[in-house]
Amino acid sequence: MTNPFEALPSLLAGLGLDVQHVLHVGAHLGEEVPFYRQAGIGAFTLVEPSPFAAGRLRESFPGATVVEAACGARPGRGTLSVNVIRTSSSLAEPHPGDRILSTVAVDVTTVEAIAAPDADMLVVDAQGLELDVLKGAGERLAGFQVVVCETCTLEDRTMAAPHDEVVAFMAGQGFAVAAVWERSYEEISWYVRGGPGEGTSYDRVNDVVFVREALACG
């Protein structure tokens, strides 16, 4: 399956953005790190609640800051439902189609609590809880040049947060949509759950790229 972040280097170049430090919530095994490096980004904070995946991140990217926790609207504890397809593990209540192997109690922190002062790009892939992560960024959200957030065009609690709700929230925070990287909901559902899911051929799982409104208008 093609990684939509292949488009990141050319997008940032086209926007004239010089990103220094990416904070990636839901980094899994760091599949996007090569594209960050291609874009000239030199510093990474990789947030991952799965103990297995966090350990792999430390081994693979010794220069990165690895935070073994989930991010949410507020700090606390949560239960990670580990899916057969581990990139789809989530703290949300499992979808009927999810194939859960086990559950793990994990720490939950917030973007506001862990964002380094120089972190200027936020990536959120929280399997349905993306809005909670964005809300947990608080006033720190305004300090990011770029925010990339996964969304879904239909309601699916462990796929991604509802697209329109995320766009509306980000607009209220002074961000505009700069790009939308689309993938087929049915294709991802087949990969994750072994079936087409409840959507149609028109439904999408998106990675939405937001920038500050002033930049988008410029």
Side-chain angles (χ1 to χ4, degrees):
M1 190 176 295
T2 302
N3 192 316
F5 278 78
E6 291 180 1
L8 181 69
S10 61
L11 176 66
L12 294 182
L15 292 170
L17 291 176
D18 181 20
V19 174
Q20 301 297 313
H21 186 157
V22 61
L23 168 56
H24 188 146
V25 176
H28 192 235
L29 300 181
E31 291 88 344
E32 287 73 34
V33 171
F35 305 116
Y36 300 151
R37 287 176 169 160
Q38 288 176 25
I41 303 171
F44 318 100
T45 298
L46 307 175
V47 186
E48 175 53 52
S50 163
F52 167 79
R56 290 283 300 276
L57 287 171
R58 293 188 189 98
E59 294 173 2
S60 301
F61 308 105
T65 299
V66 177
V67 179
E68 187 175 325
C71 280
R74 60 191 61 84
R77 295 277 287 173
T79 299
L80 179 70
S81 296
V82 181
N83 202 305
V84 169
I85 305 299
R86 292 177 185 268
T87 53
S88 297
S89 300
S90 177
L91 268 70
E93 179 184 352
H95 181 279
D98 290 340
R99 297 175 288 178
I100 304 304
L101 290 174
S102 61
T103 58
V104 182
V106 298
D107 290 327
V108 179
T109 186
T110 65
V111 167
E112 189 171 37
I114 64 172
D118 65 338
D120 51 357
M121 176 174 167
L122 174 64
V123 177
V124 184
D125 181 1
Q127 299 306 127
L129 298 179
E130 287 81 4
L131 266 175
D132 283 354
V133 176
L134 294 172
K135 291 174 181 177
E139 294 182 359
R140 181 62 178 83
L141 189 62
F144 294 102
Q145 295 189 75
V146 184
V147 177
V148 184
C149 184
E150 191 168 61
T151 70
C152 189
T153 59
L154 78 161
E155 189 168 338
D156 185 320
R157 60 180 176 263
T158 61
M159 187 69 76
H163 178 83
D164 291 345
E165 292 182 26
V166 171
V167 172
F169 175 82
M170 292 299 287
Q173 302 301 308
F175 284 86
V177 175
V180 179
W181 300 329
E182 297 183 351
R183 290 167 291 161
S184 164
Y185 173 88
E186 288 187 340
E187 181 181 347
I188 294 176
S189 184
W190 273 107
Y191 175 69
V192 171
R193 297 170 178 154
E198 301 166 356
T200 70
S201 60
Y202 298 101
D203 284 305
R204 294 291 181 265
V205 176
N206 299 320
D207 286 286
V208 185
V209 183
F210 298 94
V211 297
R212 302 298 305 177
E213 285 184 347
L215 176 63
C217 294

